Amino acid sequence: MNIRQRTLGAVGLLAALLFAGPLHAERLVTDMAGRQVKIPDEVRRVYAVGHCVPMVGAVAPDKLANNFRLNDTAKRFLSPQFYEGKVVPGVNSRMLSDEELVKLAPDLVIMEAMPGAAERADRLSARLQAPVLLIDQDMHSYKPAFAFLGEVLQRPEQGRALADFVAAHLDPIEERARSIPADKRVRVYYAEGPDGLSTNPAGSSHTQVLDFVGGLNVAQVVNLPDEGMSSVSLEQLYLWQPDLILTWTPAADQSTTWKAVVENPLWQPVDAVKQGKVLQIPWIPFSWFDRPPGSNRILGAFWLARTLYPEVFPLDLTSLTREYFRLFYHREISAADVSYLLGLSTPQAAAGH
C-alpha cells in the first residue's frame, strides 16, 4: 500500500468515526437538586446509595448493582432481580468501601438530595469516575422522583406507573389526615435502638410517615443536623405518656426493641405499655416506616394510617399491599402472605405463624 492509499484510508476512517458520533454516547440531564450531569445514553449498572435502594429497585431492579444484606425471608418477598448478583456490604458494615465501589464500576450513581449532598456527590463522582445524580426522597416528591428515574433508567412506563400509584393511593391519605382534629390525634412515641430509648422528633425524615398520616409525635427533642437518633430517658416517657409506641431495631426479626419495652418493669409506668399498645413496625422486605426512609415508606403510610385511624382510613390493606409488592418489589404475593406481613406488628401473634 502506497502513501496515498494509506492517507486516504486514514481520512476515511476518521470520517466514519466523526459521522458515527462519540464512542460512548451521552446525554445531559438535570437532577432533582438542579445539577446538570452528563450520563450514558444507556445505563446498565446503577449504584444506589443507602436510602435510594428501594426506589431504584422499584423502577429497574435488573439495573441495581447493590443492595442491603437481606435474609432469606426478605428475599422471599422480592423479585430475584433485587438480590441475585448484587454487591452487599460486609457483615459489620453499612456501606460499600471506596475500593468495592471502584471495582463495581457503575455507569451511574443515585444519591439522596439533602443539605450538603451536591458537594458529596461531586467528590464521589471524582473518586469513581462515574456520574452521580441526586433524587428527592421526601414523601411529597415521589411522583416527580419516579418519573425522573423512569426517564434516566429508560423505564418511562414503569416510572409513570409508580407515580400514578402514589397519586391514586398515597396523596389522598395526607389530604384526609389534615381533617383530623388536634384533640383526636393519636400521640405516638417512636422507640429505636436496642433499649427503645432513642428516637427522632417530628420533622425528621425518619418520622415523616407519622407526620404524613396525622399522628402526633410526642418526642420533644432536637432534630440532629445529620438526623441521627436522639437519646431520651424513661423519665421523659413518663411525662410524655404516648397513646401508642412504635418499635424499630435492626434485629426486627428478633423483636429486640419490642421486648425491651414490654418486658422491662421500668417501662410499666408508661400507660401504652401497661395497656399493650406497643407495636413492632413490619420490616419485610424493608422496614415499612423508616431506615431506610425511602419509597418503602409508602407501604408504611397505608399500614400506619389504618392502624391509628381505622374510621378515617378504612383502607383495604390486603389489596393495597399486594398491589404495592407487585409494582414496587416486582413480586406477586398472596392474601395469606399479607396476613403474615401484617401480623409482624404484634410479635406474639406472629410467633405462632
Side-chain angles (χ1 to χ4, degrees):
M1 182 182 292
N2 58 35
I3 294 175
R4 183 172 181 275
Q5 287 175 319
R6 285 198 299 270
T7 303
L8 287 174
V11 170
L13 178 61
L14 178 61
L17 289 172
L18 288 173
F19 282 107
L23 292 176
H24 301 287
E26 294 180 323
R27 50 191 163 130
L28 186 66
V29 300
T30 302
D31 70 12
M32 297 187 74
R35 299 164 60 250
Q36 288 198 318
V37 182
K38 285 184 179 180
I39 69 171
D41 258 352
E42 184 176 0
V43 175
R44 297 187 182 93
R45 194 169 174 80
V46 181
Y47 172 60
V49 180
H51 307 160
C52 300
V53 166
M55 182 171 275
V56 173
V59 176
D62 56 311
K63 300 189 179 192
L64 188 63
N66 63 295
N67 207 322
F68 304 110
R69 185 169 292 278
L70 302 170
N71 62 27
D72 290 340
T73 304
K75 291 178 180 178
R76 185 163 70 87
F77 288 91
L78 288 168
S79 162
Q81 291 184 323
F82 264 88
Y83 55 84
E84 288 184 348
K86 310 304 182 187
V87 176
V88 300
V91 175
N92 297 315
S93 177
R94 294 175 55 192
M95 301 287 289
L96 297 177
S97 67
D98 274 7
E99 292 77 11
E100 290 170 317
L101 289 177
V102 170
K103 189 182 298 185
L104 191 61
D107 300 316
L108 179 66
V109 178
I110 301 292
M111 279 180 63
E112 183 177 5
M114 58 176 61
E119 292 78 11
R120 290 196 295 273
D122 291 341
R123 290 197 298 269
L124 182 60
S125 179
R127 293 203 306 272
L128 299 183
Q129 291 298 296
V132 179
L133 294 179
L134 298 177
I135 59 170
D136 190 345
Q137 292 218 88
D138 183 275
M139 292 183 69
H140 302 96
S141 300
Y142 285 142
K143 293 193 296 293
F146 280 124
F148 173 71
L149 280 178
E151 294 297 329
V152 166
L153 303 180
Q154 297 105 22
R155 299 289 166 78
E157 291 185 4
Q158 176 67 3
R160 284 194 295 271
L162 297 167
D164 289 346
F165 180 90
V166 170
H169 301 295
L170 182 66
D171 288 354
I173 288 179
E174 187 179 37
E175 294 169 13
R176 204 173 302 172
R178 293 193 188 103
S179 68
I180 301 172
D183 62 345
K184 300 293 184 183
R185 295 186 177 239
V186 179
R187 303 174 69 257
V188 180
Y189 172 66
Y190 176 37
E192 302 176 80
D195 61 1
L197 293 176
S198 297
T199 194
N200 291 93
S204 167
S205 66
H206 295 291
T207 56
Q208 192 177 18
V209 175
L210 181 57
D211 302 338
F212 197 89
V213 304
L216 182 63
N217 190 332
V218 300
Q220 298 174 23
V221 295
V222 175
N223 191 18
L224 300 178
D226 61 352
E227 291 205 339
M229 289 182 275
S230 298
S231 297
V232 300
S233 67
L234 279 169
E235 287 73 22
Q236 287 173 297
L237 267 299
Y238 299 160
L239 293 173
W240 291 339
Q241 288 298 337
D243 303 314
L244 178 72
I245 297 174
L246 301 177
T247 64
W248 176 91
T249 175
D253 56 337
Q254 300 170 34
S255 304
T256 305
T257 304
W258 184 86
K259 289 176 181 176
V261 173
V262 301
E263 295 177 358
N264 186 339
L266 295 177
W267 279 84
Q268 286 303 310
V270 181
D271 288 341
V273 178
K274 196 180 304 180
Q275 296 169 12
K277 295 182 178 179
V278 182
L279 296 182
Q280 166 68 53
I281 295 162
W283 70 91
I284 294 174
F286 307 110
S287 171
W288 291 24
F289 183 87
D290 177 32
R291 302 195 190 278
S295 56
N296 43 300
R297 296 179 297 174
I298 297 170
L299 190 57
F302 304 147
W303 168 76
L304 191 58
R306 182 74 173 77
T307 298
L308 297 185
Y309 308 108
E311 298 84 8
V312 180
F313 301 104
L315 304 173
D316 183 345
L317 282 183
T318 298
S319 175
L320 280 172
T321 302
R322 294 183 69 186
E323 187 176 357
Y324 181 93
F325 272 72
R326 179 179 63 80
L327 272 176
F328 290 76
Y329 294 149
H330 306 269
R331 189 72 162 179
E332 296 285 349
I333 65 172
S334 67
D337 288 330
V338 176
S339 295
Y340 167 68
L341 293 169
L342 294 176
L344 296 172
S345 63
T346 53
Q348 289 173 321
H353 184 272

